[in-house]
Amino acid sequence: MARGVGSLEEVAANRCFGGWHRRFRHYSPALRCDMVFAVYLPPQAADHKVPALYWLSGLTCTDENFMQKAGALRVAAALGMAIVAADTSPRGADVPGDPEGCWDFGHAAGFYVDATQAPWAEHYRMHEYVVHELPALVEEMLPISARRGISGHSMGGHGALVCALRNPGRYCSLSALAPISHPITSPWGRKAFSRYLGEDQGAWRAWDACELIAAAAERLPLLVDQGEADGFLDTQLQPERLRQACAAAEHPLTLRLHPGYDHSYYFIASFIEDHLRHHAAALLA
């Protein structure tokens, strides 16, 4: 049963590194279903509002994967920065999933776009949810300020890039780990975009980081880490296309390639502290 608009139901709370990891359920008008998200509030949030890093996870994930596996909370506590972890898609019995039963579309695979095609358009508006609805909710109801950074992994890395590039001035900082850099040429991206956005590939460009960078109105310094042993490197992620797009547009990019690292949370945990400090430099300035 849906909660009232603008209300939060706490479903879990755990003391962690002097702060609190909390999970909430709420009704989302943008997605027309109940959603669950997680927040880490550092110890400093007991005294004043703190800035937040919005984290977007990848295919098959929920809000729980990053909070439990990434090893980010200890660093966030030391820095005095909140982390807000959204789910990866709308969910529920009334929300359509992949009709083929695949894991790379539908439930847990919202791709952080605003769908325009039936039946997806009724619920799959993850961009609106992540960029506007969720921040408005947490900034009103929790000790979180309007100073925002955004990051993510894989599908979530694509989401972080697109959210920042499409909304200049909305975020103070930006990074990604193993992002789907050029989804209009990625099998994952082409499958999702053709269904959520339709067959007109011209409409896809507005949701592709490599296409958006050329005309970006803001040049947030971009930190990207990528494992060279990632099985999705060349077909799905294509970091060299991101490098080329940033070079052509003179967009500041630090792209770090790491031998032996794959696509897993072992990779994320190895470099997440660098990303949190990258965001803290802007958020806490």
Side-chain angles (χ1 to χ4, degrees):
M1 182 175 66
R3 271 127 289 278
V5 174
S7 65
L8 292 178
E9 175 193 354
E10 186 168 80
V11 296
N14 300 95
R15 193 77 165 149
C16 187
F17 297 111
W20 287 93
H21 169 263
R22 304 171 69 184
R23 297 184 76 214
F24 297 98
R25 182 182 291 111
H26 73 110
Y27 178 76
S28 165
L31 306 180
R32 299 187 182 182
C33 65
D34 279 1
M35 292 293 286
V36 174
F37 68 92
V39 176
Y40 178 68
L41 293 171
Q44 296 86 342
D47 300 319
H48 56 81
K49 286 196 169 191
V50 296
L53 173 64
Y54 288 79
W55 175 264
L56 307 183
S57 288
L59 292 165
T60 76
C61 292
T62 69
D63 65 283
E64 295 182 280
N65 301 72
F66 179 79
M67 292 299 208
Q68 294 180 8
K69 297 180 180 180
L73 307 190
R74 173 186 59 81
V75 182
L79 293 171
M81 183 167 64
I83 299 175
V84 180
D87 202 348
T88 49
S89 80
R91 297 179 191 262
D94 296 329
V95 177
D98 190 330
E100 299 171 0
C102 296
W103 56 270
D104 57 356
F105 181 80
H107 296 166
F111 269 82
Y112 305 102
V113 302
D114 287 344
T116 58
Q117 305 299 301
W120 321 109
E122 182 177 358
H123 296 285
Y124 284 81
R125 298 183 55 80
M126 286 298 293
H127 185 80
E128 173 67 21
Y129 177 73
V130 166
V131 173
H132 297 292
E133 183 179 310
L134 184 57
L137 187 65
V138 300
E139 289 164 17
E140 177 183 356
M141 306 194 73
L142 297 171
I144 290 177
S145 77
R147 292 189 63 79
R148 312 175 196 96
I150 192 165
S151 185
H153 172 239
S154 193
M155 177 186 72
H158 142 75
L161 297 176
V162 169
C163 287
L165 290 166
R166 285 175 59 101
N167 297 277
R170 186 76 176 160
Y171 301 98
C172 301
S173 55
L174 172 63
S175 76
L177 292 101
I180 303 172
S181 297
H182 199 22
I184 64 175
T185 63
S186 157
W188 283 339
R190 293 179 66 84
K191 177 178 180 177
F193 284 11
S194 64
R195 297 183 181 190
Y196 290 139
L197 305 173
E199 295 297 337
D200 178 7
Q201 297 187 18
W204 299 2
R205 298 180 64 183
W207 302 98
D208 184 298
C210 287
E211 300 293 328
L212 291 168
I213 280 171
E218 183 179 46
R219 300 294 180 187
L220 288 177
L222 174 55
L223 172 63
V224 174
D225 280 293
Q226 173 66 61
E228 290 186 333
D230 191 321
F232 304 117
L233 179 63
D234 296 325
T235 56
Q236 304 284 10
L237 308 178
Q238 305 175 33
E240 287 304 320
R241 289 183 179 267
L242 182 64
R243 188 198 301 274
Q244 293 165 8
C246 287
E250 298 184 346
H251 191 108
L253 168 68
T254 301
L255 173 59
R256 307 190 303 185
L257 303 177
H258 303 282
Y261 285 90
D262 60 14
H263 200 65
S264 70
Y265 268 84
Y266 296 109
F267 159 67
I268 296 174
S270 298
F271 301 104
I272 193 62
E273 181 168 353
D274 292 349
H275 284 253
L276 291 174
R277 294 190 180 279
H278 167 81
H279 290 277
L283 294 173
L284 299 170

